[in-house]
């Protein structure tokens, strides 16, 4: 058994290394600027639009160049036409181009930035490129950056995977923040619609999550879980149920949703709003909290298991659910917490994918019953 596994691993390594070919070189900043001016390097891939350095970060970076401090390499994907797409290092390169007055964003020349306070070179504060001495300009233009070139297919998914693996630009990104990049790359119109939808009052208030959870876009992830779990097209046979990471599952199913021609986001948004309007009107901020049977009260913080047990079934059956009196719906939720199937699926130790699969089936059946 082990021998067979090792043979398969050797084959996988061989195939994987053939799929990704790399090269590397060292280039002066002046040469990189010329490449950009000649349109041979794409500096603004969609998946990095969400992240910006502030003036202090930009100033510190240029200070490092002037002081000769070694810099992290830039990773680019080389397309079939030989042009480069920046995979990791956008903020570094765009900072250099903005400093020298070459950066174009949305077809408009960006205003050069002014240095803020730096640690070792405080006299830089308040200066712009035009006011630097020729010696300092030469130091910057002659400084070299290591460029790692990755030869990959002209595939959005391939470039996204590289961005995932090579996200080294000093920003700690959560899975949903990176996933937002994937959505923008695949369908920016879809992203704009759900990015607006995540602020829908009934949805956000019913979640009752605050602070860091909002900051790391957890409510956006919960929205995607809703769309995925409501769908009838999830093929769990594609996944290793005990080992597949939840974030990888959501990535792949998000791609599947966007590839699905029958998935109409405008219709789905209407159902989404009806679903959360009803849930919030019935349960308010208790919607996704655990129900304490002994105390006859909802308590604690937001529960993912409760959310997964309620939303797909209510959404799929919203036409019938809306006919229920609010008290009847509340009683159905309280009874749900006593259901052996729900208790088993929400128990500690249940892996993410088996839980989601089970909750999808349980929820749609439970809220589809007329009793």
């Amino acid at each position: 058994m082990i021998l067979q596994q090792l043979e398969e691993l050797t084959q996988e390594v061989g195939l994987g290394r053939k799929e990704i070919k790399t090269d590397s070189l060292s280039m002066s900043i002046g040469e990189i600027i010329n490449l950009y001016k000649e349109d041979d390097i794409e500096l603004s891939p969609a998946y990095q639009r969400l992240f910006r350095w502030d003036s202090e970060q930009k100033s510190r970076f240029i200070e490092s160049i002037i002081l000769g401090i070694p810099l992290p390499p830039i990773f680019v994907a080389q397309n079939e036409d030989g042009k480069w797409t920046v995979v990791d290092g956008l903020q570094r390169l765009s900072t250099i181009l903005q400093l020298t007055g070459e950066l174009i964003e949305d077809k408009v020349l960006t205003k050069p930035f002014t240095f803020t306070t730096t640690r070792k070179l405080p006299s830089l504060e308040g200066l712009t490129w035009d006011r630097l001495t020729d010696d300092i300009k030469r130091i910057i233009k002659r400084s070299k950056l290591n460029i790692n070139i990755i030869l990959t297919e002209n595939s959005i998914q391939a470039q996204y995977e590289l961005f995932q693996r090579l996200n080294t630009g000093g920003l700690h990104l959560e899975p949903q923040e990176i996933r937002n990049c994937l959505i923008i790359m695949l369908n920016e119109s879809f992203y704009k619609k759900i990015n607006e939808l995540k602020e829908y009052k009934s949805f956000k208030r019913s979640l009752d999550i605050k602070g860091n959870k909002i900051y790391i876009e957890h409510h956006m992830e919960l929205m995607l879980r809703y769309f995925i779990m409501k769908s009838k097209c999830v093929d769990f046979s594609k996944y290793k149920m005990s080992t597949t990471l939840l974030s990888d599952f959501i990535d792949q199913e998000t791609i599947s949703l966007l590839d699905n021609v029958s998935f109409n986001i405008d219709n789905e948004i209407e159902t989404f709003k009806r679903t959360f309007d009803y849930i919030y009107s019935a349960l308010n901020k208790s919607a996704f909290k655990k129900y304490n049977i002994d105390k006859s009260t909802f308590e604690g913080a937001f529960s993912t298991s409760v959310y997964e047990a309620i939303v797909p079934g209510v959404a799929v059956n919203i036409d019938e659910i809306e006919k229920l009196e609010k008290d009847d719906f509340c009683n159905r939720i309280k009874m749900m917490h006593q259901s052996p199937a729900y208790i088993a699926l929400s128990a500690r130790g249940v892996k993410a994918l088996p839980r989601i699969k089970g909750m999808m089936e349980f929820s749609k059946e439970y809220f589809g019953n007329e009793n």
Side-chain angles (χ1 to χ4, degrees):
M1 184 68 180
I2 294 296
L3 182 59
Q4 181 182 351
Q5 184 177 356
L6 292 175
E7 288 176 351
E8 290 174 354
L9 175 60
T10 300
Q11 292 175 357
E12 291 166 359
V13 170
L15 288 172
R17 290 180 66 87
K18 284 180 181 178
E19 288 175 2
I20 300 178
K21 298 178 181 179
T22 62
D23 198 359
S24 61
L25 50 84
S26 179
M27 297 185 73
S28 73
I29 286 174
E31 290 174 308
I32 293 171
I33 292 172
N34 288 335
L35 277 179
Y36 176 76
K37 290 164 70 174
E38 293 168 5
D39 199 30
D40 282 330
I41 183 167
E42 181 185 356
L43 203 57
S44 300
Y47 50 83
Q48 296 203 33
R49 289 179 194 168
L50 301 176
F51 314 109
R52 301 279 181 179
W53 276 2
D54 58 29
S55 296
E56 183 178 349
Q57 289 171 301
K58 293 174 182 178
S59 298
R60 291 282 179 89
F61 174 66
I62 300 299
E63 179 188 38
S64 296
I65 293 175
I66 295 171
L67 293 173
I69 295 172
L71 303 171
I74 304 294
F75 288 84
V76 299
Q78 182 165 305
N79 301 321
E80 290 178 352
D81 59 5
K83 292 186 177 183
W84 292 348
T85 297
V86 178
V87 175
D88 185 75
L90 174 68
Q91 300 307 324
R92 280 165 273 164
L93 295 187
S94 61
T95 294
I96 290 166
L97 291 162
Q98 187 182 5
L99 171 71
T100 59
E102 304 288 351
L103 182 63
I104 296 174
E105 290 188 331
D106 297 323
K107 300 181 180 179
V108 176
L109 194 64
T110 302
K111 180 182 177 181
F113 79 85
T114 302
F115 283 97
T116 59
T117 303
T118 54
R119 187 173 297 171
K120 297 288 186 181
L121 305 173
S123 296
L124 276 175
E125 184 177 0
L127 297 181
T128 59
W129 176 256
D130 290 340
R131 297 175 66 184
L132 295 177
T133 66
D134 289 340
D135 286 346
I136 293 177
K137 288 180 180 178
R138 274 192 289 271
I139 288 172
I140 293 171
K141 285 193 170 183
R142 291 176 181 175
S143 296
K144 291 185 178 289
L145 292 174
N146 290 322
I147 310 292
N148 287 344
I149 306 165
I150 301 169
L151 308 177
T152 183
E153 56 189 295
N154 288 344
S155 158
I156 286 177
Q157 216 170 322
Q159 291 189 11
Y160 169 70
E161 185 176 343
L162 288 173
F163 174 66
Q164 267 187 315
R165 291 175 180 269
L166 301 173
N167 175 35
T168 58
L171 294 164
H172 175 66
L173 303 180
E174 298 293 333
Q176 184 57 47
E177 294 179 291
I178 297 177
R179 191 174 298 117
N180 287 345
C181 303
L182 170 64
I183 297 170
I184 287 175
M185 293 170 69
L186 291 170
N187 189 327
E188 192 162 359
S189 173
F190 176 87
Y191 173 79
K192 288 178 179 177
K193 289 178 179 180
I194 64 169
N195 192 49
E196 180 180 345
L197 185 63
K198 77 183 181 187
E199 302 298 332
Y200 191 64
K201 286 183 179 179
S202 296
F203 170 64
K204 205 168 179 181
R205 288 175 178 174
S206 66
L207 298 182
D208 195 28
I209 59 174
K210 303 179 182 71
N212 190 54
K213 288 282 190 180
I214 295 292
Y215 179 75
I216 64 174
E217 293 280 83
H218 188 55
H219 52 323
M220 179 76 97
E221 179 181 309
L222 290 170
M223 188 187 310
L224 290 176
R225 288 198 205 194
Y226 161 91
F227 288 128
I228 291 166
M229 294 184 74
K230 179 178 176 291
S231 167
K232 299 177 182 178
C233 302
V234 180
D235 180 6
F236 284 97
S237 68
K238 299 187 300 183
Y239 303 100
K240 292 184 177 179
M241 297 295 286
S242 61
T243 58
T244 298
L245 296 176
L246 177 61
S247 59
D248 290 341
F249 169 77
I250 297 175
D251 283 351
Q252 292 305 312
E253 290 308 313
T254 299
I255 293 169
S256 296
L257 278 179
L258 293 174
D259 284 342
N260 186 348
V261 293
S262 66
F263 182 80
N264 184 308
I265 185 57
D266 294 319
N267 292 342
E268 293 294 340
I269 286 173
E270 181 184 347
T271 303
F272 178 93
K273 289 180 177 179
R274 288 171 61 194
T275 298
F276 284 95
D277 281 345
Y278 185 87
I279 291 173
Y280 184 70
S281 67
L283 292 161
N284 206 275
K285 293 184 179 182
S286 297
F288 305 117
K289 296 181 179 181
K290 293 182 179 179
Y291 182 68
N292 188 317
I293 300 167
D294 296 330
K295 296 180 181 179
S296 298
T297 185
F298 292 94
E299 61 183 15
F302 170 86
S303 167
T304 301
S305 295
V306 176
Y307 178 86
E308 293 171 346
I310 294 175
V311 294
V314 172
V316 168
N317 299 288
I318 190 61
D319 290 340
E320 296 303 316
I321 293 291
E322 284 176 329
K323 297 174 185 177
L324 290 175
E325 294 293 333
K326 300 296 168 46
D327 286 344
D328 292 337
F329 180 73
C330 288
N331 288 331
R332 186 174 289 196
I333 296 298
K334 293 173 183 177
M335 290 173 60
M336 182 195 82
H337 285 263
Q338 302 176 57
S339 165
Y342 168 77
I343 293 170
L345 288 166
S346 60
R348 289 194 177 193
V350 179
K351 297 284 188 179
L353 259 62
R355 186 193 72 235
I356 287 175
K357 181 176 184 293
M359 286 297 191
M360 286 172 64
E361 295 167 353
F362 165 80
S363 182
K364 291 172 184 178
E365 180 180 353
Y366 184 81
F367 290 100
N369 290 336
E370 294 298 323
N371 55 6

